[in-house]
Each structure stands twice: as structure tokens, then as C-alpha cells.
Amino acid sequence: MKKRGACMGGVNTLQEFSFDDMKKISRTALGNTVPIELYRAIRLIGMYQGLPMKGRGTTLTVGRKIGESLPVQSVQELLDLFRELKVGDPQIVLEENNKLHIAVNDCFCVGLPEIEGNLVCDLEGAIMEGALSKMMDKRVSVREIKCNVNGDDCCEYEVRL
């Protein structure tokens, strides 16, 4: 493997990145975190406001791909990883035959101005959808039904298996 220069970045010969690659952080001065403001700016200004249809096609495609790459084997592992990555604090609040409702407290959007009728956490739902579809080896549908930005007390997703 070639050693990368101090600021040149080197040439990546990999065809695709994996989730494990994302954990390889070598930043000595700035560490392994970025502020929530940057994540919010990318999600809500860059994607939600900057792309057609509030970025829905992009966030669904990107989220599913991220979800498929997650190293999880169960719903509980997925919820634990969401907590670990500070996506939010997810809890299963309804469990029926082939349907779950997952409420996410402390989501990235908590504290943003309320804009009635706006559900902005579709990327996070698509990440769940990609991970669940891969682990269950069948099509799973995840739809955001509540959002803090809409004025709801949490973000919530309906999962259809």
C-alpha cells in the first residue's frame, strides 16, 4: 500500500469504500468528530434545499447504500449502531406481525425551527431500510411518519417487512 503524502491524499485504487474504511481515521490535529452544524448544513441546506424534490431521490439512494454497508446482523445491532454513531436514540415503540414503528429521540434535527408539514429525516430512514433489507434478504420499506421539524415530539419511522 502506498503511503500518502502529508496533504496530497494519495491515489485510491479501491473501487468502493466500506463502512470499515470509514472508521480508519488518522487525523492527528482535529480528531474523529465533526460538529453537528456541518452535518445539518450538508443534509438540510445542501441536500434538502439544494436538490430537486428536497433531495429525496438522492437521500434514498445514498441512505440505502450506507445501510447495506453497515456491519449489523439484527435490528437491535442496528439500533445500537445508530446510538453509537449519534444518529439518535432509537426505540421500537410498536411491533406487529410485519410492521415496526421506531421512534428516534435526540435526532440531529432536535432544536431546529419547526416548519409544519416538513419531514426531513428521510436519509436516516433510508439507512435503516438498506440495513434491514440486507439483513433480512428481502425488500423492507421504511417511511418517516413523524419529525421534530414538523413539531412532533420525536422522529418516527414505520417499517414494513
Side-chain angles (χ1 to χ4, degrees):
M1 183 172 183
K2 293 181 181 179
K3 188 170 184 176
R4 296 178 183 203
C7 63
M8 296 301 291
V11 175
N12 185 356
T13 57
L14 297 175
Q15 291 295 323
E16 294 184 6
F17 291 103
S18 70
F19 186 77
D20 284 336
D21 291 332
M22 300 302 109
K23 295 193 277 186
K24 296 173 183 172
I25 300 167
S26 299
R27 292 175 13 149
T28 56
L30 298 177
N32 67 348
T33 61
V34 295
I36 191 77
E37 299 89 355
L38 178 59
Y39 179 78
R40 284 176 163 182
I42 292 167
R43 283 281 293 112
L44 299 176
I45 296 171
M47 296 176 83
Y48 189 76
Q49 292 174 191
L51 295 172
M53 297 172 26
K54 298 183 177 179
R56 292 235 189 263
T58 301
T59 55
L60 291 176
T61 300
V62 168
R64 287 176 184 141
K65 189 70 174 172
I66 292 169
E68 291 168 2
S69 76
L70 297 179
V72 294
Q73 303 298 317
S74 70
V75 174
Q76 190 58 54
E77 284 183 20
L78 175 61
L79 301 182
D80 291 344
L81 186 59
F82 261 55
R83 269 185 227 95
E84 180 186 327
L85 295 174
K86 299 183 181 181
V87 174
D89 184 17
Q91 309 289 328
I92 296 172
V93 294
L94 173 77
E95 207 167 342
E96 292 181 349
N97 292 337
N98 55 351
K99 182 169 73 169
L100 296 174
H101 280 212
I102 299 174
V104 178
N105 292 297
D106 215 15
C107 182
F108 87 96
C109 69
V110 171
L112 288 169
E114 289 181 14
I115 306 169
E116 191 175 337
N118 282 269
L119 305 175
V120 301
C121 300
D122 51 307
L123 175 69
E124 295 72 16
I127 292 171
M128 279 188 224
E129 185 175 293
L132 293 168
S133 292
K134 182 181 176 196
M135 84 174 64
M136 295 179 176
D137 197 27
K138 65 180 180 179
R139 178 80 167 102
V140 173
S141 171
V142 177
R143 182 174 63 94
E144 184 180 16
I145 58 173
K146 289 183 182 180
C147 186
N148 290 292
V149 170
N150 185 51
D152 297 310
D153 61 346
C154 67
C155 295
E156 188 171 320
Y157 302 89
E158 179 183 81
V159 179
R160 292 195 176 268
L161 309 173

